[in-house]
Amino acid sequence: MEGDAEAVKSGRRGGGQVCQICGDGVGTTAEGDVFAACYVCGFPVCRPCYEYERKDGTQACPQCKTKYKRHKASPDHHMMSPTGNIGKRAPFPYVNHSPNPSREFSGSIGNVAWKERVDGWKMKQDKGTIPMTNGTSIAPSEGRGVGDIDASTDYNMEDALLNDETRQPLSRKVPIPSSRINPYRMVIVLRLVVLSIFLHYRITNPVRNAYPLWLLSVICEIWFALSWILDQFPKWFPINRETYLDRLALRYDREGEPSQLAAVDIFVSTVDPLKEPPLVTANTVLSILAVDYPVDKVSCYVSDDGAAMLTFDALAETSEFARKWVPFVKKYNIEPRAPEWYFSQKIDYLKDKVHPSFVKDRRAMKREYEEFKVRINGLVAKAQKVPEEGWIMQDGTPWPGNNTRDHPGMIQVFLGHSGGLDTEGNELPRLVYVSREKRPGFQHHKKAGAMNALVRVSAVLTNGQYMLNLDCDHYINNSKALREAMCFLMDPNLGRSVCYVQFPQRFDGIDRNDRYANRNTVFFDINLRGLDGIQGPVYVGTGCVFNRTALYGYEPPIKQKKKGGFLSSLCGGRKKASKSKKGSDKKKSQKHVDSSVPVFNLEDIEEGVEGAGFDDEKSLLMSQMSLEKRFGQSAAFVASTLMEYGGVPQSATPESLLKEAIHVISCGYEDKTEWGTEIGWIYGSVTEDILTGFKMHARGWRSIYCMPKRPAFKGSAPINLSDRLNQVLRWALGSVEILFSRHCPLWYGYGGRLKFLERFAYINTTIYPLTSIPLLIYCVLPAICLLTGKFIMPSISNMTSIWFISLFLSIFATGILEMRWSGVGIDEWWRNEQFWVIGGISAHLFAVFQGLLKVLAGIDTNFTVTSKASDEDGDFAELYMFKWTTLLIPPTTILIINLVGVVAGTSYAINSGYQSWGPLFGKLFFAFWVIVHLYPFLKGLMGRQNRTPTIVVVWAILLASIFSLLWVRIDPFTTRVTGPDTQTCGINC
């Protein structure tokens, strides 16, 4: 082994690397490093062969097929002559380590020689000569053909092929084709230029007779321009990604061998079982227990933050049903593995199912599931009426969570490695119920606090290296979702710097028209893919696989940064640090990089550091006192944070671990620690997801966006207008809280490793609710102009009109090209634009005022949990439900005054003559822009045609009253205001 290690080291220096195409030495660069043609897999290729492949070959690595990048001192393709000679450039800074010194690279070898080399390498492959990475090769025995290879050689060849396959990367970036992305970037630049000229014209040409209206409109337009820049430029480098599950299996999960895949702890969070139905949660849990992953590597933790006995009983029923459901889905490999959604599919379920017993077993399982639903619904019906003495458990003892605000911590292991077997005798993943302790006088931090409690419980009981968090209504739709994430997290080259893998949210139960943009495809398919090309997508709260080390507040391993130009600096290239800063970075890296490596075991921590025999500096950094100050007073938990690959001590008993798990979910455990400030989910906002991801990116971690062909997770969205607006209100309120906190991206994290365009994205994420104020003004301005006869624009010349037309054309072109490279449909894009206006003048506006109240006056507002009720009255019965909320007042008012303005302005123009029609068209254009964007809101306000709510009748009466008063005031049937003076003009007027 030591000899192998030395060989590897010498190979890295270039001493032992042999080109797998021509057999010459790979050589080193001018800096003395081994020449690496491919940055991804490191397949040994010498510089001459690399240059031939770039010029006349496939331009890709022969092993992993990744497109070759241009190395330093490599010629551009157009600078090479037709004969293969390299113009007048100097020879490459290349050192030849070939055994044959006469074959020095001179920079003038013809294409024929290059082609012979590559053809020779391909012939070796075709004949069975397998080039190995250490420079040796396996060939058929002398005098035998390929078909006459003996068994031992056959085995060696197969082993060599497997080794070659496992060396290849587990994923790769797939850039957007230049034919799609380059026109998009050109239009963005063009739009920026046109926008600058437009704003210059607007500022330098005030409207004197309507100066206040003009000033307001210009301020709004400048804000819109800034917000567009913040939103647009983080989408400059969108990418796609491909994963290779077969390579992952070859490397970590070979058949017949113990699986080497990393353990994953999966978190499901619930609060109120009446708003989050237990049947929905049960389906999510069942899809987790049936996931395509080694069962001993999966643990499911359900957080019941409402301490409801209904959730506990429903989970007990779910664990029993799982014993039948899991073997059924794995036997027939069905998708999805949530029974409610599997049985409700309107497809041919016999497609690709050839097992003779499938139909019989499916019918039996559907019957079992219907009975399971009856039992769950019975529990829900029973829970509607709470007994006066509180709930009593089956053993006759009172339920500890009868007082939801004052109860002890509760943990129940339903399924586990010690006895959780299915009906066929196979092991099931662990299923754990957790309800953290709550006491009066303690700050519990809502969902973020519950998630941190799950982090600690899971660390003590199973300590999976990675964690997946899901909302209770987001089931696993793709059973290989965890394997997809492992292609990034377990990749030797990429994984150590990845803090999380985010999957897009996809939804069931949305009507085809998606009236309120619930699918949110513009955000998930455009914005997040753009961020993946910079430093990674933001964390969106669910469907995210975390690296546990990153959640513990550590920094990623520091990589050597390559020098880059302006674009590199935009994407995060770092300037050369001063000596003092280098020293501080070195200390910081010593503290954080090594901290994820196991330093102490459980016994060392319990006995203290004094006798552990570590050097003084490491003892100072990693002493028991400093660890407990950071992570809390739990020796078992502190020990778990020091285990790089997870796991629990073999000497620990289940009883001692459960006792410790109860301790880490106690109310006072986080006091005087860094939980919620530097560790785990970060406190201070109702959108803890954005804040948590931002802290990780600021430390230098990168995230990955994974979009498998079959959506990994699916959830249910609130298709009702009122629920949708309340959901958007909560998101916007969280952003406003971050904006006014110390973690505001405008000033937090400078001097760290947050990339420039990534900061743009986070600033846009927190500042977008403020756009509601200029948006509200701009939606009211058309009505004011129509009612007063004034306008925000001066008279426009022909040249000026060209710039106006150019601006609108560039806006449309940006949207069209964005849809072209992203695959988002025009209907989805348009729904997103409409709801941006609807949400902006309602939920975002309220969020700004509520956030200001919280910051300035200390008045906190409670958010409402989004209802996940099932649809019993029809496919989209919820769509037509009308729930009155104050959020509906601003859009309704704006809609009415714009309609009134259109009628009043048109009647005014009819009475005033043809000369008033020109200015009218401009005013009507802006008014119709507002009305068209608010059309889905108007439709939602009306509900079904036979269910017009009373509040709409009230608003209709108010509209009629306003219109009548305005009609009398304008008096359109007289001509005394703008009509001709017949006494002056006479009959020839």
Side-chain angles (χ1 to χ4, degrees):
M1 294 295 292
E2 293 178 2
D4 294 341
E6 289 298 323
V8 171
K9 289 178 182 178
S10 65
R12 286 176 181 170
R13 291 191 296 266
Q17 290 277 15
V18 177
C19 176
Q20 299 304 302
I21 295 180
C22 66
D24 287 354
V26 169
T28 58
T29 62
E31 289 80 10
D33 300 324
V34 64
F35 175 73
C38 180
Y39 291 113
V40 178
C41 69
F43 184 67
V45 174
C46 65
R47 170 80 80 160
C49 293
Y50 155 76
E51 294 299 344
Y52 168 74
E53 284 295 320
R54 282 189 71 241
K55 180 180 180 294
D56 295 313
T58 61
Q59 299 183 3
C61 174
Q63 177 168 262
C64 68
K65 310 304 180 188
T66 304
K67 192 171 183 179
Y68 273 144
K69 295 182 179 179
R70 181 177 178 272
H71 283 271
K72 183 180 179 182
S74 294
D76 296 327
H77 296 166
H78 66 273
M79 296 186 67
M80 301 186 74
S81 66
T83 60
N85 297 328
I86 304 173
K88 298 181 180 179
R89 295 180 70 114
F92 300 115
Y94 167 79
V95 182
N96 194 340
H97 290 279
S98 170
N100 184 2
S102 64
R103 297 185 66 182
E104 293 288 335
F105 173 64
S106 63
S108 60
I109 301 178
N111 285 345
V112 177
W114 296 113
K115 195 170 187 309
E116 287 177 357
R117 289 185 173 193
V118 179
D119 291 343
W121 176 72
K122 291 178 179 177
M123 286 176 65
K124 290 177 187 178
Q125 285 190 317
D126 295 338
K127 291 180 179 179
T129 304
I130 310 301
M132 301 296 289
T133 55
N134 59 2
T136 63
S137 61
I138 301 173
S141 301
E142 189 174 341
R144 294 179 181 178
V146 177
D148 300 326
I149 302 174
D150 58 22
S152 61
T153 307
D154 214 3
Y155 172 78
N156 289 335
M157 287 177 62
E158 182 181 354
D159 191 48
L161 284 169
L162 285 175
N163 288 334
D164 187 55
E165 184 72 16
T166 56
R167 288 183 68 252
Q168 298 190 30
L170 302 179
S171 65
R172 75 181 183 101
K173 293 181 182 178
V174 183
I176 306 294
S178 57
S179 61
R180 295 187 177 183
I181 195 65
N182 287 340
Y184 173 67
R185 290 170 177 164
M186 290 171 60
V187 169
I188 291 174
V189 175
L190 180 64
R191 180 174 170 182
L192 188 63
V193 172
V194 173
L195 185 61
S196 302
I197 296 171
F198 170 78
L199 289 177
H200 178 266
Y201 168 78
R202 292 285 285 126
I203 294 171
T204 55
N205 292 272
V207 182
R208 300 298 179 187
N209 63 340
Y211 194 83
L213 297 179
W214 168 83
L215 184 61
L216 281 174
S217 65
V218 169
I219 293 172
C220 293
E221 287 160 8
I222 293 173
W223 180 268
F224 292 148
L226 293 174
S227 63
W228 172 74
I229 291 172
L230 290 173
D231 178 67
Q232 189 69 65
F233 280 88
K235 297 182 281 191
W236 190 266
F237 299 100
I239 59 170
N240 295 318
R241 293 184 184 270
E242 283 183 358
T243 55
Y244 303 104
L245 299 181
D246 51 344
R247 296 177 186 174
L248 179 77
L250 276 175
R251 185 175 293 185
Y252 297 112
D253 195 27
R254 294 188 183 182
E255 192 173 352
E257 299 179 11
S259 176
Q260 301 299 316
L261 290 171
V264 182
D265 294 333
I266 303 177
F267 303 154
V268 179
S269 55
T270 65
V271 179
D272 187 348
L274 298 180
K275 292 184 178 179
E276 301 168 325
L279 187 62
V280 174
T281 305
N283 272 272
T284 300
V285 171
L286 289 169
S287 70
I288 293 170
L289 298 178
V291 71
D292 183 7
Y293 207 75
V295 292
D296 59 322
K297 306 285 187 178
V298 177
S299 301
C300 177
Y301 293 83
V302 180
S303 169
D304 177 19
D305 218 32
M309 188 172 172
L310 171 57
T311 303
F312 181 86
D313 289 341
L315 213 57
E317 290 285 352
T318 304
S319 65
E320 290 302 314
F321 179 69
R323 301 177 193 272
K324 305 170 186 176
W325 173 252
V326 173
F328 167 73
V329 297
K330 289 189 174 181
K331 179 179 179 181
Y332 298 112
N333 195 28
I334 66 170
E335 298 279 4
R337 298 188 175 181
E340 182 68 27
W341 298 105
Y342 170 67
F343 290 122
S344 64
Q345 288 183 115
K346 298 176 181 178
I347 61 171
D348 179 13
Y349 62 84
L350 293 177
K351 186 179 181 182
D352 300 328
K353 296 291 186 295
V354 295
H355 203 286
S357 62
F358 172 67
V359 175
K360 180 181 176 182
D361 289 349
R362 186 183 186 278
R363 287 173 181 169
M365 185 51 60
K366 190 170 185 180
R367 235 179 359 255
E368 292 279 357
Y369 178 63
E370 293 298 330
E371 293 174 3
F372 169 72
K373 287 174 67 175
V374 170
R375 293 194 295 271
I376 295 293
N377 291 332
L379 293 173
V380 174
K382 180 182 175 182
Q384 299 293 330
K385 188 177 180 181
V386 182
E388 292 182 2
E389 67 278 7
W391 297 108
I392 304 296
M393 294 190 292
Q394 291 182 356
D395 59 358
T397 58
W399 170 247
N402 277 324
N403 187 344
T404 57
R405 298 184 179 180
D406 187 4
H407 64 83
M410 296 177 280
I411 297 176
Q412 175 66 43
V413 180
F414 287 106
L415 298 173
H417 308 313
S418 58
L421 302 179
D422 61 27
T423 53
E424 296 182 359
N426 298 317
E427 192 177 354
L428 287 171
R430 182 172 299 195
L431 176 61
V432 184
Y433 169 89
V434 179
S435 182
R436 58 181 174 143
E437 181 185 19
K438 286 191 175 181
R439 301 296 181 192
F442 285 89
Q443 176 60 266
H444 298 105
H445 301 290
K446 300 175 182 176
K447 181 181 177 180
M451 296 305 297
N452 284 338
L454 286 183
V455 172
R456 296 193 293 271
V457 167
S458 63
V460 171
L461 296 182
T462 53
N463 197 28
Q465 187 178 357
Y466 303 107
M467 299 173 290
L468 164 66
N469 88 287
L470 295 172
D471 287 344
C472 65
D473 63 321
H474 272 72
Y475 64 90
I476 298 180
N477 182 63
N478 182 348
S479 61
K480 297 185 184 296
L482 292 181
R483 295 178 182 269
E484 295 276 355
M486 292 306 121
C487 286
F488 303 104
L489 293 167
M490 297 189 70
D491 190 288
N493 298 321
L494 179 66
R496 292 183 64 84
S497 61
V498 175
C499 56
Y500 59 80
V501 176
Q502 178 66 63
F503 292 84
Q505 292 185 26
R506 303 296 187 219
F507 302 98
D508 288 310
I510 299 176
D511 67 309
R512 184 173 56 85
N513 295 322
D514 191 15
R515 186 183 295 172
Y516 309 121
N518 279 287
R519 291 192 178 91
N520 216 357
T521 49
V522 171
F523 175 74
F524 289 115
D525 291 9
I526 297 179
N527 294 39
L528 294 190
R529 283 167 75 183
L531 288 177
D532 198 18
I534 305 171
Q535 196 176 349
V538 299
Y539 167 43
V540 297
T542 183
C544 187
V545 183
F546 282 95
N547 182 342
R548 192 182 282 268
T549 302
L551 265 179
Y552 287 158
Y554 296 125
E555 291 182 357
I558 298 177
K559 292 184 178 180
Q560 292 293 330
K561 296 284 183 180
K562 294 184 292 182
K563 294 179 181 179
F566 176 70
L567 287 178
S568 175
S569 66
L570 278 180
C571 295
R574 300 179 68 189
K575 296 181 180 178
K576 205 168 184 179
S578 62
K579 291 183 179 179
S580 61
K581 190 169 181 180
K582 280 184 179 177
S584 63
D585 287 346
K586 187 175 180 182
K587 290 180 181 178
K588 195 180 288 186
S589 67
Q590 287 176 352
K591 179 177 179 180
H592 293 293
V593 174
D594 294 337
S595 56
S596 61
V597 181
V599 180
F600 307 119
N601 58 28
L602 184 60
E603 290 77 12
D604 290 334
I605 293 178
E606 289 174 346
E607 293 171 4
V609 184
E610 291 79 6
F614 297 96
D615 58 85
D616 292 338
E617 185 179 0
K618 188 164 285 187
S619 298
L620 179 65
L621 292 174
M622 303 300 294
S623 66
Q624 180 183 10
M625 185 177 298
S626 63
L627 285 169
E628 289 185 348
K629 184 178 180 181
R630 180 177 177 86
F631 294 110
Q633 302 284 330
S634 170
F637 176 73
V638 170
S640 72
T641 65
L642 304 173
M643 297 176 183
E644 184 178 12
Y645 300 107
V648 296
Q650 294 182 353
S651 59
T653 62
E655 293 78 15
S656 64
L657 292 179
L658 274 174
K659 183 178 178 182
E660 198 68 25
I662 289 291
H663 170 55
V664 298
I665 59 173
S666 59
C667 281
Y669 184 82
E670 295 182 355
D671 290 350
K672 299 180 181 179
T673 66
E674 295 184 6
W675 284 101
T677 55
E678 299 296 331
I679 299 173
W681 270 257
I682 306 301
Y683 304 149
S685 170
V686 294
T687 52
E688 68 290 326
D689 44 7
I690 299 293
L691 200 51
T692 303
F694 175 58
K695 292 277 284 189
M696 292 182 189
H697 283 135
R699 293 188 186 106
W701 292 94
R702 75 148 298 128
S703 55
I704 298 292
Y705 198 48
C706 183
M707 298 178 67
K709 290 182 179 178
R710 180 178 180 86
F713 310 101
K714 278 192 173 182
S716 55
I719 61 175
N720 175 273
L721 174 60
S722 303
D723 287 345
R724 172 69 165 139
L725 288 176
N726 277 302
Q727 182 189 57
V728 174
L729 170 64
R730 185 172 68 88
W731 295 342
L733 179 59
S735 294
V736 173
E737 289 173 344
I738 298 172
L739 181 64
F740 294 120
S741 72
R742 72 181 185 92
H743 291 118
C744 176
L746 285 168
W747 53 73
Y748 181 83
Y750 286 98
R753 288 187 276 174
L754 184 68
K755 296 185 178 180
F756 185 69
L757 289 180
E758 191 81 10
R759 184 180 297 279
F760 259 41
Y762 274 109
I763 292 173
N764 183 56
T765 302
T766 54
I767 213 169
Y768 77 89
L770 296 183
T771 307
S772 61
I773 297 174
L775 184 62
L776 178 70
I777 294 171
Y778 219 78
C779 288
V780 173
L781 280 175
I784 295 175
C785 292
L786 286 166
L787 293 172
T788 59
K790 297 179 180 179
F791 197 38
I792 57 176
M793 296 279 187
S795 58
I796 300 175
S797 64
N798 292 335
M799 188 62 189
T800 308
S801 63
I802 292 175
W803 290 114
F804 273 81
I805 295 171
S806 300
L807 178 62
F808 285 107
L809 288 177
S810 65
I811 292 172
F812 292 136
T814 306
I816 290 169
L817 293 173
E818 202 166 67
M819 290 182 278
R820 185 167 175 258
W821 67 253
S822 67
V824 173
I826 190 169
D827 53 338
E828 295 171 317
W829 182 84
W830 174 238
R831 290 299 186 204
N832 183 78
E833 291 294 309
Q834 288 179 311
F835 197 78
W836 174 71
V837 176
I838 296 171
I841 58 177
S842 57
H844 298 172
L845 189 68
F846 277 69
V848 171
F849 289 112
Q850 289 185 21
L852 289 173
L853 282 174
K854 183 176 181 179
V855 172
L856 300 178
I859 302 173
D860 198 0
T861 53
N862 294 321
F863 70 89
T864 305
V865 178
T866 306
S867 176
K868 278 87 179 178
S870 57
D871 191 7
E872 297 177 355
D873 299 330
D875 286 343
F876 305 109
E878 249 193 296
L879 180 65
Y880 304 105
M881 290 176 62
F882 186 89
K883 301 177 183 177
W884 177 253
T885 170
T886 51
L887 293 174
L888 301 178
I889 294 176
T892 308
T893 306
I894 288 173
L895 192 59
I896 289 173
I897 63 172
N898 274 280
L899 289 172
V900 170
V902 168
V903 175
T906 305
S907 61
Y908 185 88
I910 291 172
N911 184 60
S912 301
Y914 70 90
Q915 71 274 8
S916 62
W917 283 97
L920 177 65
F921 284 130
K923 301 171 189 176
L924 289 178
F925 174 81
F926 287 107
F928 279 121
W929 180 90
V930 175
I931 294 169
V932 168
H933 278 76
L934 291 179
Y935 174 72
F937 175 82
L938 177 63
K939 206 168 181 180
L941 197 68
M942 298 301 296
R944 289 189 189 272
Q945 292 180 354
N946 58 349
R947 295 188 185 177
T948 305
T950 307
I951 194 68
V952 175
V953 177
V954 173
W955 275 105
I957 296 171
L958 180 62
L959 169 61
S961 302
I962 295 173
F963 177 74
S964 300
L965 292 172
L966 287 170
W967 188 269
V968 173
R969 172 69 181 86
I970 294 171
D971 196 7
F973 296 106
T974 62
T975 59
R976 64 177 182 274
V977 179
T978 57
D981 189 350
T982 54
Q983 291 182 355
T984 306
C985 299
I987 196 169
N988 297 321
C989 182

